[in-house]
Amino acid sequence: MTDPVTLDPIAARRLDGNAAGGILAEVFAVDVTAARSRCAGCGATSMLGAHHVYADAPAMVLRCPSCTGMVLRVGMREGRILLDLSGSRLLEIPMPASSGGGPATEDDGELG
Amino acid sequence: MARAAVQRRLTWLPARLVATSAESPRVHRLVFDVPGWSGHLPGQHVDVRLTAEDGYTAERSYSLASPPEVGELHLLVERLEDGEVSSYLTGELSPGDLIELRGPIGGYFVWSAAADQDDRDTGRRPVQLVAGGAGVSPFTAMLDHHRRRESPTPMQLLYSTRDESEILARGLLGPETTITLTRDVPVGWAGETGRVDAAMLLRCTVKPGDSPRIFVCGPTAFAESTATALVDLGHEPTSIRIERFGESKEPS
């Protein structure tokens, strides 16, 4: 059966910014897949989770979904994490809500 | 002094396999107990790390297939022919064995009842899920969560799979789900048949005029062709979130 959807072999391995969430969580204190990044090449802004990821290079490479320019590279070597952010002109990271996200526990109780 | 919960960086956590069962001929459901798990949102994933005796490690990402209301973590793992991690997870890992998990990961491909309550404007928009094959994993977490929380958000799933035996999480799928079989169609099948295309999307998914939030998950070729067809139908590109699985040797 032939596949009506054809992609070249490199395109078929394309993933999303989400796939880089794990290693980026080793570096950043907050989740950055929901952060917006402005491409240093074309100026387009989109969430890192919506970027294209090529995970089988020596480093994970995030590319701009508009112009395919390299935005971010992250990899590990000899116990170090290497992070190249030169393709992002501006990273806009939502602050974690102090009470949102998980089950509220801190402020629910009475003062002791 | 900081009074809010301190954000912590993610670390690798030991996860003990509690149960493993064949969900379909190629997909296993693995259930893990993870002490110290911080909770998650439907749609988030974990990284799995296996370490061999000689120190060699391999990592893969898997979507969480269980909602936050369930204490254990469920993963639906598809056995790939040349997949060193997936063949180990589905063939050799036994109850009681330990692996390592890092997560929950990702704030992009998520949906939760609480977020819809907090953001009423967004929360009013229906949610359309489109899955190819094992790409249904994160959606089983979303559907299960939606049901347990009795969320008022309209949610629909269009699920493409090769044949009836490969339908995953079958017990969870209700009237919100449309299944299309792409390969073997049994006599008397009342659902859709054939690959997801523009005509099927028009017939079986929320219309652009209703401004749905759309999540597409599956092999890269499936996800990209589906997203392109959705944009052609008039959906806003920014309303479509994609999770690509990469190459699939067995197109859904």
Side-chain angles (χ1 to χ4, degrees):
Chain A
M1 198 167 171
T2 52
D3 193 335
V5 183
T6 48
L7 290 174
D8 64 74
I10 292 171
R13 293 201 298 272
R14 181 154 56 215
L15 303 172
D16 310 278
N18 251 346
I23 188 168
L24 289 173
E26 298 271 2
V27 182
F28 291 94
V30 295
D31 170 62
V32 289
T33 60
R36 295 166 65 81
S37 167
R38 181 177 301 165
C39 176
C42 73
T45 297
S46 53
M47 288 165 95
L48 279 185
H51 280 53
H52 295 160
V53 164
Y54 295 87
D56 41 12
M60 233 181 214
V61 179
L62 271 74
R63 292 188 173 276
C64 172
S66 294
C67 75
T68 75
M70 195 279 288
V71 169
L72 181 157
R73 292 186 301 157
V74 60
M76 295 179 75
R77 193 170 66 210
E78 294 162 8
R80 294 160 191 263
I81 294 174
L82 306 177
L83 177 64
D84 171 358
L85 263 169
S86 58
S88 175
R89 189 187 305 166
L90 180 71
L91 203 54
E92 194 183 323
I93 304 169
M95 297 273 283
S98 57
S99 59
T105 52
E106 305 281 343
D107 297 321
D108 288 347
E110 297 291 311
L111 288 172
Chain B
M1 296 285 284
R3 47 183 276 282
V6 174
Q7 286 286 314
R8 56 168 188 85
R9 288 197 307 126
L10 292 181
T11 52
W12 291 98
L13 296 167
R16 189 174 299 281
L17 186 71
V18 178
T20 175
S21 58
E23 183 93 357
S24 80
R26 291 187 299 135
V27 175
H28 276 237
R29 177 179 293 265
L30 306 183
V31 181
F32 290 97
D33 177 39
V34 187
W37 182 248
S38 64
H40 64 276
L41 298 171
Q44 288 188 305
H45 69 272
V46 291
D47 288 343
V48 168
R49 179 164 74 181
L50 303 178
T51 305
E53 281 173 15
D54 63 2
Y56 170 76
T57 63
E59 292 177 22
R60 295 291 183 280
S61 296
Y62 292 99
S63 292
L64 290 163
S66 50
E69 291 81 9
V70 172
E72 294 87 20
L73 301 183
H74 291 227
L75 305 184
L76 294 173
V77 178
E78 182 176 14
R79 193 185 63 250
L80 303 172
E81 290 312 319
D82 56 351
E84 52 178 5
V85 173
S86 68
S87 19
Y88 179 82
L89 290 176
T90 57
E92 295 181 45
L93 197 68
S94 308
D97 288 350
L98 283 173
I99 60 165
E100 289 178 292
L101 293 185
R102 176 172 63 191
I105 297 166
Y108 175 71
F109 199 85
V110 298
W111 175 82
S112 75
D116 277 9
Q117 272 169 7
D118 290 346
D119 182 350
R120 303 271 170 171
D121 285 344
T122 303
R124 257 194 289 276
R125 298 168 58 196
V127 171
Q128 177 67 55
L129 314 171
V130 187
V136 79
S137 282
F139 301 152
T140 67
M142 292 186 194
L143 283 174
D144 200 347
H145 172 71
H146 184 277
R147 204 157 299 160
R148 286 166 192 263
R149 298 294 295 267
E150 298 179 345
S151 164
T153 301
M155 181 177 280
Q156 278 180 236
L157 167 64
L158 174 59
Y159 177 15
S160 168
T161 189
R162 293 197 305 174
D163 60 52
E164 213 176 3
S165 74
E166 304 221 339
I167 299 172
L168 306 176
R170 199 157 192 172
L172 188 70
L173 307 177
E176 77 292 317
T177 299
T178 304
I179 296 176
T180 180
L181 302 181
T182 58
R183 202 164 290 183
D184 295 327
V185 181
V187 177
W189 173 255
E192 292 285 324
T193 59
R195 293 175 184 279
V196 171
D197 58 15
M200 190 186 296
L201 289 166
L202 197 57
R203 201 161 57 234
C204 305
T205 61
V206 181
K207 305 286 178 289
D210 295 325
S211 309
R213 293 166 277 169
I214 307 175
F215 295 84
V216 181
C217 186
T220 296
F222 168 89
E224 297 195 352
S225 69
T226 300
T228 303
L230 287 164
V231 172
D232 289 345
L233 287 175
H235 290 283
E236 280 294 320
T238 52
S239 71
I240 304 169
R241 298 196 174 193
I242 309 175
E243 178 128 298
R244 297 165 175 87
F245 267 28
E247 264 180 307
S248 175
K249 300 283 184 290
E250 304 275 357
S252 304

